[in-house]
Amino acid sequence: MERGIVTIPKSVRKKRIEENFGIFDFRLTKEEITAIDLLDRNDAIADLTDVELIKKLNQLKVR
């Protein structure tokens, strides 16, 4: 939130949904934000603009 990056948590369990609202009772320090920023290596796990890849992913069955 402090960095202006929107995250959309997903849960169907009431307890987890309530826990997701718990982000407003603390703030990260500048040092903590810097440490988090250093974790971003700009890696991508997939090119989501690759139409053929998306077609293949859509064919996979989730178990």
Side-chain angles (χ1 to χ4, degrees):
M1 292 293 291
E2 283 115 334
R3 294 171 62 213
I5 298 173
V6 176
T7 302
I8 303 171
K10 179 207 168 279
S11 184
V12 295
R13 294 183 178 88
K14 182 180 178 184
K15 181 173 173 42
R16 290 293 297 139
I17 293 169
E18 291 171 347
E19 289 173 348
N20 287 333
F21 280 106
I23 65 167
F24 299 106
D25 63 350
F26 71 94
R27 300 211 40 104
L28 297 174
T29 66
K30 288 182 182 182
E31 292 81 13
E32 290 168 325
I33 293 172
T34 299
I36 292 169
D37 287 342
L38 292 173
L39 295 173
D40 184 7
R41 299 183 330 199
N42 214 14
D43 290 344
I45 59 171
D47 178 4
L48 298 180
T49 63
D50 182 340
V51 175
E52 292 305 313
L53 173 63
I54 299 303
K55 287 179 184 177
K56 289 177 185 175
L57 291 173
N58 283 328
Q59 292 173 355
L60 295 176
K61 292 185 179 181
V62 179
R63 296 174 191 218

